Coordinates of all heavy atoms in Angstrom, one line a residue:
M1 N 0.9 -1.2 0.0 CA 0.0 0.0 0.0 C 0.9 1.2 0.0 O 2.0 1.2 0.5 CB -0.9 0.0 1.2 CG -2.1 -0.9 1.2 SD -3.2 -0.4 2.4 CE -3.3 -1.9 3.3
N2 N 0.3 2.3 -0.4 CA 1.1 3.5 -0.4 C 0.8 4.3 0.9 O -0.1 4.0 1.6 CB 0.8 4.3 -1.7 CG -0.6 4.6 -1.9 OD1 -1.4 4.5 -1.0 ND2 -1.0 5.0 -3.1
I3 N 1.6 5.3 1.1 CA 1.6 6.0 2.4 C 0.3 6.8 2.6 O -0.3 6.7 3.6 CB 2.8 7.0 2.4 CG1 4.0 6.1 2.5 CG2 2.7 7.9 3.6 CD1 5.3 6.8 2.4
P4 N -0.4 7.5 1.5 CA -1.6 8.2 1.8 C -2.8 7.2 2.2 O -3.6 7.6 3.1 CB -1.9 8.9 0.5 CG -0.6 9.0 -0.2 CD 0.2 7.8 0.2
V5 N -2.8 6.0 1.7 CA -3.8 5.1 2.0 C -3.7 4.6 3.4 O -4.6 4.6 4.2 CB -3.8 3.9 1.0 CG1 -4.8 2.8 1.4 CG2 -4.1 4.4 -0.4
C6 N -2.4 4.4 3.8 CA -2.1 3.9 5.2 C -2.5 5.0 6.2 O -3.0 4.8 7.2 CB -0.7 3.5 5.3 SG -0.3 2.0 4.5
A7 N -2.1 6.2 5.8 CA -2.4 7.4 6.7 C -3.9 7.6 6.9 O -4.4 7.8 8.0 CB -1.7 8.6 6.2
A8 N -4.7 7.5 5.8 CA -6.1 7.6 5.9 C -6.7 6.5 6.7 O -7.7 6.7 7.5 CB -6.7 7.6 4.5
L9 N -6.2 5.2 6.5 CA -6.7 4.1 7.2 C -6.4 4.3 8.7 O -7.3 4.1 9.6 CB -6.1 2.8 6.8 CG -6.6 1.5 7.4 CD1 -8.0 1.3 7.2 CD2 -5.8 0.3 6.9
G10 N -5.2 4.7 9.1 CA -4.9 4.9 10.5 C -5.6 6.0 11.1 O -6.1 6.0 12.3
A11 N -5.9 7.1 10.4 CA -6.7 8.2 10.9 C -8.2 7.8 11.2 O -8.8 8.1 12.2 CB -6.6 9.4 9.9
S12 N -8.8 7.0 10.2 CA -10.1 6.5 10.4 C -10.2 5.6 11.6 O -11.2 5.6 12.4 CB -10.6 5.9 9.2 OG -9.9 4.7 8.9
L13 N -9.2 4.7 11.9 CA -9.2 3.9 13.0 C -9.1 4.6 14.3 O -9.7 4.3 15.3 CB -8.2 2.8 12.9 CG -8.4 1.7 11.8 CD1 -7.2 0.8 11.7 CD2 -9.6 0.9 12.1
A14 N -8.2 5.6 14.3 CA -8.1 6.4 15.5 C -9.3 7.2 15.8 O -9.7 7.3 17.0 CB -6.9 7.4 15.3
L15 N -10.0 7.8 14.9 CA -11.3 8.4 15.1 C -12.4 7.5 15.5 O -13.3 7.8 16.3 CB -11.7 9.2 13.9 CG -10.8 10.5 13.6 CD1 -11.3 11.0 12.3 CD2 -10.9 11.5 14.7
A16 N -12.4 6.3 15.0 CA -13.4 5.3 15.4 C -13.2 4.9 16.9 O -14.2 4.6 17.5 CB -13.3 4.1 14.5
G17 N -12.0 4.9 17.3 CA -11.7 4.5 18.8 C -12.2 5.6 19.7 O -12.5 5.3 20.8
C18 N -12.3 6.8 19.2 CA -12.8 7.9 20.1 C -14.3 8.0 20.2 O -14.8 8.8 21.0 CB -12.3 9.2 19.6 SG -10.5 9.3 19.6
N19 N -15.0 7.3 19.4 CA -16.4 7.3 19.3 C -17.0 6.6 20.5 O -16.7 5.5 20.8 CB -16.9 6.6 18.0 CG -18.4 6.9 17.7 OD1 -19.0 7.7 18.5 ND2 -18.9 6.3 16.7
A20 N -17.9 7.3 21.3 CA -18.4 6.7 22.5 C -19.7 6.0 22.3 O -20.5 6.6 21.5 CB -18.5 7.8 23.6
V21 N -19.9 4.9 22.9 CA -21.2 4.2 22.8 C -22.0 4.4 24.1 O -21.4 4.2 25.2 CB -20.9 2.6 22.6 CG1 -22.2 1.8 22.5 CG2 -20.1 2.4 21.3
P22 N -23.2 4.8 24.0 CA -24.0 5.1 25.2 C -24.2 3.7 25.9 O -24.4 2.6 25.3 CB -25.3 5.6 24.7 CG -25.3 5.5 23.3 CD -23.9 5.2 22.8
P23 N -24.2 3.7 27.2 CA -24.3 2.4 28.0 C -25.7 1.7 27.7 O -25.7 0.5 27.8 CB -24.1 2.7 29.4 CG -24.2 4.2 29.5 CD -24.0 4.8 28.1
E24 N -26.7 2.4 27.4 CA -28.0 1.7 27.2 C -27.9 0.9 25.9 O -28.7 -0.1 25.8 CB -29.1 2.8 27.0 CG -29.3 3.6 28.3 CD -28.4 4.9 28.4 OE1 -28.0 5.3 27.3 OE2 -28.0 5.2 29.5
A25 N -27.2 1.3 24.9 CA -27.1 0.6 23.7 C -26.3 -0.7 23.8 O -26.5 -1.6 23.1 CB -26.6 1.5 22.6
A26 N -25.3 -0.6 24.7 CA -24.4 -1.8 24.8 C -25.0 -2.9 25.8 O -24.6 -4.0 25.6 CB -23.1 -1.3 25.4
L27 N -25.9 -2.5 26.7 CA -26.5 -3.6 27.6 C -27.7 -4.2 27.0 O -28.4 -3.6 26.3 CB -26.8 -2.9 28.9 CG -25.7 -2.3 29.7 CD1 -26.2 -1.6 30.9 CD2 -24.7 -3.4 30.1
P28 N -28.0 -5.5 27.3 CA -29.1 -6.2 26.8 C -30.5 -5.6 27.5 O -30.3 -4.9 28.5 CB -29.0 -7.6 27.2 CG -28.0 -7.5 28.4 CD -27.1 -6.4 28.1
A29 N -31.6 -5.9 27.0 CA -32.8 -5.4 27.5 C -33.2 -6.0 28.8 O -34.0 -5.5 29.5 CB -33.9 -5.7 26.4
F30 N -32.6 -7.1 29.2 CA -32.9 -7.9 30.4 C -31.6 -8.0 31.2 O -30.5 -7.8 30.8 CB -33.5 -9.2 30.1 CG -32.5 -10.2 29.4 CD1 -31.6 -10.9 30.1 CD2 -32.5 -10.2 28.1 CE1 -30.8 -11.8 29.5 CE2 -31.6 -11.0 27.4 CZ -30.8 -11.8 28.1
S31 N -31.8 -8.1 32.5 CA -30.6 -8.4 33.4 C -30.7 -9.8 33.8 O -31.7 -10.3 34.3 CB -30.7 -7.5 34.6 OG -29.7 -7.7 35.5
P32 N -29.5 -10.5 33.8 CA -29.5 -11.9 34.3 C -29.8 -12.0 35.8 O -30.1 -13.0 36.3 CB -28.0 -12.4 33.9 CG -27.5 -11.4 33.0 CD -28.2 -10.1 33.1
A33 N -29.5 -10.9 36.5 CA -29.8 -10.9 38.0 C -31.2 -10.6 38.3 O -31.6 -10.8 39.5 CB -28.9 -9.9 38.6
D34 N -32.1 -10.5 37.3 CA -33.5 -10.2 37.6 C -34.2 -11.4 37.9 O -34.3 -12.3 37.0 CB -34.1 -9.4 36.4 CG -35.5 -9.0 36.6 OD1 -36.0 -9.0 37.8 OD2 -36.2 -8.5 35.6
P35 N -34.9 -11.6 39.1 CA -35.5 -12.9 39.4 C -36.8 -13.1 38.6 O -37.3 -14.2 38.4 CB -35.8 -12.8 40.9 CG -35.8 -11.4 41.2 CD -34.8 -10.7 40.2
A36 N -37.4 -12.0 38.1 CA -38.6 -12.1 37.3 C -38.3 -12.8 35.9 O -39.2 -13.2 35.2 CB -39.2 -10.7 37.1
Y37 N -37.1 -12.7 35.4 CA -36.7 -13.3 34.2 C -36.9 -14.8 34.1 O -37.3 -15.4 33.2 CB -35.3 -12.8 33.8 CG -34.9 -13.4 32.4 CD1 -35.5 -13.0 31.3 CD2 -33.8 -14.4 32.3 CE1 -35.1 -13.5 30.0 CE2 -33.4 -14.9 31.1 CZ -34.1 -14.4 30.0 OH -33.7 -14.9 28.8
G38 N -36.6 -15.5 35.3 CA -36.8 -17.0 35.4 C -35.6 -17.7 34.8 O -34.6 -17.2 34.3
I39 N -35.7 -19.0 34.9 CA -34.7 -19.9 34.4 C -35.2 -20.7 33.2 O -36.3 -21.2 33.3 CB -34.3 -20.8 35.6 CG1 -33.7 -20.1 36.7 CG2 -33.3 -21.9 35.0 CD1 -33.4 -20.9 37.9
T40 N -34.5 -20.8 32.1 CA -34.9 -21.5 31.0 C -34.7 -23.0 31.3 O -33.7 -23.4 31.9 CB -34.2 -21.1 29.8 OG1 -32.7 -21.3 30.0 CG2 -34.4 -19.6 29.4
N41 N -35.5 -23.8 30.6 CA -35.4 -25.3 30.7 C -34.2 -25.7 29.9 O -33.9 -25.2 28.8 CB -36.6 -26.0 30.3 CG -37.8 -25.7 31.1 OD1 -37.6 -25.5 32.3 ND2 -39.0 -25.8 30.6
T42 N -33.4 -26.7 30.5 CA -32.3 -27.2 29.8 C -32.5 -28.7 29.6 O -33.1 -29.4 30.4 CB -30.9 -27.0 30.5 OG1 -31.1 -27.6 31.8 CG2 -30.6 -25.5 30.6
H43 N -32.1 -29.3 28.5 CA -32.3 -30.7 28.2 C -30.9 -31.3 27.9 O -30.1 -30.6 27.3 CB -33.3 -30.9 27.0 CG -34.6 -30.2 27.2 ND1 -35.5 -30.7 28.1 CD2 -35.2 -29.2 26.6 CE1 -36.6 -30.0 28.0 NE2 -36.4 -29.0 27.2
Y44 N -30.8 -32.5 28.2 CA -29.5 -33.2 28.0 C -29.6 -33.8 26.5 O -30.5 -34.5 26.2 CB -29.3 -34.3 29.0 CG -28.1 -35.2 28.6 CD1 -26.8 -34.7 28.9 CD2 -28.3 -36.4 28.2 CE1 -25.7 -35.5 28.6 CE2 -27.2 -37.3 27.8 CZ -25.9 -36.8 28.0 OH -24.8 -37.5 27.7
H45 N -28.6 -33.5 25.8 CA -28.5 -34.0 24.4 C -27.1 -34.6 24.3 O -26.1 -33.9 24.2 CB -28.7 -32.9 23.4 CG -30.0 -32.2 23.4 ND1 -31.1 -32.8 23.0 CD2 -30.3 -31.0 23.9 CE1 -32.1 -32.0 23.2 NE2 -31.7 -30.9 23.7
P46 N -27.0 -36.0 24.2 CA -25.7 -36.6 24.0 C -25.0 -36.2 22.7 O -25.7 -36.0 21.6 CB -26.0 -38.0 24.1 CG -27.4 -38.2 23.7 CD -28.1 -36.9 24.1
V47 N -23.7 -35.9 22.7 CA -23.0 -35.5 21.5 C -22.5 -36.7 20.8 O -22.4 -36.8 19.6 CB -21.9 -34.7 22.0 CG1 -21.0 -34.2 20.7 CG2 -22.4 -33.4 22.7
V48 N -22.1 -37.8 21.5 CA -21.5 -39.0 20.9 C -22.4 -40.1 21.2 O -22.9 -40.4 22.3 CB -20.1 -39.2 21.6 CG1 -19.5 -40.5 21.0 CG2 -19.2 -38.1 21.4
N49 N -22.6 -41.0 20.2 CA -23.4 -42.2 20.3 C -22.4 -43.3 20.9 O -21.7 -44.0 20.3 CB -23.9 -42.7 19.0 CG -25.0 -41.8 18.5 OD1 -25.7 -41.2 19.2 ND2 -25.1 -41.9 17.2
Y50 N -22.5 -43.4 22.3 CA -21.6 -44.3 23.1 C -22.4 -45.6 23.3 O -23.5 -45.6 23.7 CB -21.3 -43.7 24.4 CG -20.5 -44.6 25.3 CD1 -19.2 -44.9 25.0 CD2 -21.1 -45.3 26.4 CE1 -18.5 -45.7 25.8 CE2 -20.4 -46.0 27.2 CZ -19.1 -46.4 27.0 OH -18.4 -47.2 27.7
V51 N -21.7 -46.7 22.9 CA -22.2 -48.0 23.2 C -21.1 -48.8 24.0 O -20.0 -48.9 23.7 CB -22.4 -48.8 21.8 CG1 -22.8 -50.2 22.1 CG2 -23.4 -48.0 21.0
H52 N -21.6 -49.2 25.2 CA -20.7 -50.0 26.1 C -20.3 -51.3 25.5 O -21.3 -52.1 25.1 CB -21.2 -50.1 27.5 CG -20.4 -50.8 28.4 ND1 -19.3 -50.2 29.0 CD2 -20.5 -52.1 28.9 CE1 -18.7 -51.1 29.8 NE2 -19.3 -52.2 29.7
R53 N -19.1 -51.6 25.4 CA -18.6 -52.9 24.8 C -17.7 -53.6 25.8 O -16.9 -53.0 26.5 CB -17.9 -52.8 23.5 CG -18.8 -52.1 22.5 CD -18.0 -51.9 21.2 NE -18.7 -51.0 20.3 CZ -19.3 -51.6 19.3 NH1 -19.4 -52.8 19.0 NH2 -20.1 -50.8 18.5
E54 N -17.9 -54.9 25.9 CA -17.1 -55.8 26.8 C -16.1 -56.5 26.0 O -16.2 -56.8 24.8 CB -18.0 -56.8 27.5 CG -19.0 -56.2 28.5 CD -18.3 -55.7 29.7 OE1 -17.3 -56.3 30.2 OE2 -18.8 -54.7 30.3
P55 N -14.9 -56.8 26.6 CA -13.8 -57.6 25.8 C -14.4 -58.9 25.6 O -15.1 -59.5 26.4 CB -12.7 -57.5 26.8 CG -13.0 -56.8 28.0 CD -14.4 -56.3 27.8
T56 N -14.0 -59.6 24.5 CA -14.4 -60.9 24.1 C -13.1 -61.8 24.0 O -12.0 -61.3 23.9 CB -15.2 -60.9 22.9 OG1 -14.4 -60.4 21.8 CG2 -16.4 -60.0 23.0
D57 N -13.3 -63.1 23.8 CA -12.3 -64.0 23.6 C -11.8 -63.9 22.2 O -12.6 -63.6 21.3 CB -12.7 -65.4 23.9 CG -13.1 -65.7 25.4 OD1 -12.4 -65.0 26.2 OD2 -13.9 -66.5 25.7
P58 N -10.6 -64.3 21.9 CA -10.1 -64.3 20.5 C -10.9 -65.3 19.7 O -11.4 -66.3 20.1 CB -8.7 -64.8 20.6 CG -8.3 -64.6 22.0 CD -9.5 -64.7 22.8
Q59 N -11.3 -64.9 18.4 CA -12.1 -65.8 17.5 C -11.3 -66.0 16.3 O -10.3 -65.4 15.9 CB -13.4 -65.1 17.2 CG -14.2 -65.0 18.5 CD -15.6 -64.3 18.2 OE1 -15.9 -64.1 17.1 NE2 -16.3 -64.0 19.2
N60 N -11.9 -66.8 15.4 CA -11.3 -67.2 14.1 C -11.4 -66.0 13.2 O -12.5 -65.6 12.9 CB -12.0 -68.5 13.6 CG -11.3 -68.9 12.3 OD1 -10.4 -68.3 11.7 ND2 -11.8 -70.0 11.8
W61 N -10.2 -65.5 12.7 CA -10.2 -64.3 11.9 C -10.9 -64.6 10.6 O -11.7 -63.7 10.0 CB -8.9 -63.8 11.7 CG -8.3 -63.1 12.9 CD1 -8.7 -63.3 14.2 CD2 -7.2 -62.1 12.9 NE1 -7.9 -62.5 15.0 CE2 -7.0 -61.8 14.2 CE3 -6.4 -61.6 11.9 CZ2 -6.0 -60.8 14.6 CZ3 -5.4 -60.8 12.3 CH2 -5.2 -60.4 13.6
R62 N -10.6 -65.8 10.0 CA -11.1 -66.0 8.6 C -12.7 -66.0 8.6 O -13.4 -65.5 7.8 CB -10.6 -67.3 8.1 CG -11.2 -67.6 6.7 CD -10.5 -68.8 6.0 NE -9.0 -68.6 5.9 CZ -8.5 -68.0 4.8 NH1 -9.2 -67.3 3.9 NH2 -7.2 -67.9 4.7
R63 N -13.2 -66.7 9.7 CA -14.7 -66.7 9.8 C -15.2 -65.4 10.0 O -16.3 -65.0 9.4 CB -15.1 -67.7 10.9 CG -16.6 -67.9 11.1 CD -17.0 -68.9 12.1 NE -16.6 -68.3 13.5 CZ -15.9 -69.1 14.3 NH1 -15.7 -70.4 14.1 NH2 -15.5 -68.6 15.4
L64 N -14.7 -64.5 10.8 CA -15.2 -63.2 11.0 C -15.1 -62.3 9.7 O -16.0 -61.6 9.4 CB -14.3 -62.4 12.1 CG -14.5 -62.9 13.6 CD1 -13.5 -62.3 14.5 CD2 -15.9 -62.7 14.0
N65 N -14.0 -62.5 9.0 CA -13.9 -61.8 7.7 C -14.9 -62.2 6.7 O -15.5 -61.5 5.9 CB -12.5 -61.9 7.2 CG -11.5 -61.0 8.0 OD1 -11.9 -60.1 8.6 ND2 -10.2 -61.4 7.8
D66 N -15.1 -63.6 6.7 CA -16.2 -64.1 5.8 C -17.6 -63.6 6.2 O -18.4 -63.3 5.2 CB -16.2 -65.7 5.8 CG -14.9 -66.2 5.0 OD1 -14.3 -65.4 4.3 OD2 -14.6 -67.3 5.3
N67 N -17.8 -63.5 7.4 CA -19.2 -63.0 7.8 C -19.4 -61.5 7.5 O -20.5 -61.1 7.3 CB -19.4 -63.3 9.4 CG -19.5 -64.7 9.7 OD1 -19.8 -65.6 8.8 ND2 -19.2 -65.1 10.9
L68 N -18.3 -60.8 7.5 CA -18.4 -59.3 7.3 C -18.2 -58.9 5.8 O -18.5 -57.8 5.5 CB -17.5 -58.6 8.2 CG -17.7 -58.7 9.7 CD1 -16.5 -58.0 10.4 CD2 -18.9 -58.0 10.1
S69 N -17.7 -59.8 5.1 CA -17.5 -59.4 3.7 C -18.7 -59.2 2.9 O -19.7 -59.9 3.1 CB -16.6 -60.4 3.0 OG -17.3 -61.6 2.7
P70 N -18.8 -58.2 2.0 CA -20.0 -57.9 1.1 C -20.1 -59.0 0.1 O -21.3 -59.2 -0.4 CB -19.7 -56.5 0.6 CG -18.2 -56.4 0.6 CD -17.7 -57.2 1.8
A71 N -19.0 -59.7 -0.3 CA -19.2 -60.7 -1.4 C -19.9 -61.9 -0.9 O -20.5 -62.6 -1.6 CB -17.8 -61.1 -1.9
G72 N -19.8 -62.2 0.4 CA -20.3 -63.5 0.9 C -19.4 -64.7 0.8 O -18.3 -64.6 0.3
K73 N -19.8 -65.8 1.2 CA -19.0 -67.0 1.3 C -18.9 -67.7 0.0 O -18.0 -68.5 -0.3 CB -19.5 -68.0 2.4 CG -19.5 -67.5 3.7 CD -20.1 -68.5 4.7 CE -20.1 -67.9 6.1 NZ -20.8 -68.7 7.1
E74 N -19.9 -67.4 -0.9 CA -19.9 -68.1 -2.2 C -18.8 -67.5 -3.2 O -18.5 -68.1 -4.3 CB -21.1 -68.0 -3.0 CG -22.5 -67.9 -2.5 CD -22.9 -67.0 -1.3 OE1 -23.0 -65.8 -1.5 OE2 -23.1 -67.6 -0.3
A75 N -18.3 -66.3 -2.9 CA -17.4 -65.7 -3.9 C -16.0 -66.4 -4.0 O -15.4 -66.4 -5.0 CB -17.1 -64.3 -3.4
G76 N -15.6 -67.0 -2.9 CA -14.3 -67.8 -3.0 C -13.1 -67.0 -3.2 O -12.4 -67.2 -4.3
S77 N -12.9 -66.0 -2.3 CA -11.7 -65.2 -2.5 C -10.4 -65.8 -2.4 O -10.0 -66.5 -1.7 CB -11.8 -64.0 -1.7 OG -12.0 -64.3 -0.3

C-alpha cells in the first residue's frame, strides 16, 4: 500500500476509537440478575453415540472376515 492510503486508514481507525457508545445501547434489554426473568429449561443432548462394549475371547479371523465381507462365502476369494 502507499503512504496516503495507510495514513487515511490509520486516521479513520483512530477516530473510530474515540467514538463513545452510550451504555444503554451496549447492555441487553434484560438483566441476568433479575428474578422475574426466570430460568430456561435445559435438556440433555448426548453428543456422541456411546455403546458400552465388553472384551471378548479371540475368535477365528477368517470366519469373522467371511461373515463381514460384502461378497459373501460363495465368492471364494
Side-chain angles (χ1 to χ4, degrees):
M1 280 196 243
N2 54 18
I3 294 175
V5 173
C6 289
L9 182 63
S12 64
L13 289 175
L15 289 175
C18 295
N19 195 4
V21 177
E24 297 84 28
L27 296 177
F30 61 90
S31 173
D34 187 10
Y37 181 64
I39 299 174
T40 59
N41 291 334
T42 58
H43 302 292
Y44 174 73
H45 300 287
V47 178
V48 180
N49 289 334
Y50 174 75
V51 177
H52 180 72
R53 298 177 189 262
E54 294 286 329
T56 61
D57 294 329
Q59 296 180 5
N60 185 354
W61 286 21
R62 181 170 301 276
R63 184 178 60 228
L64 290 173
N65 286 338
D66 288 342
N67 291 340
L68 294 175
S69 70
K73 295 177 184 175
E74 332 40 79
S77 53

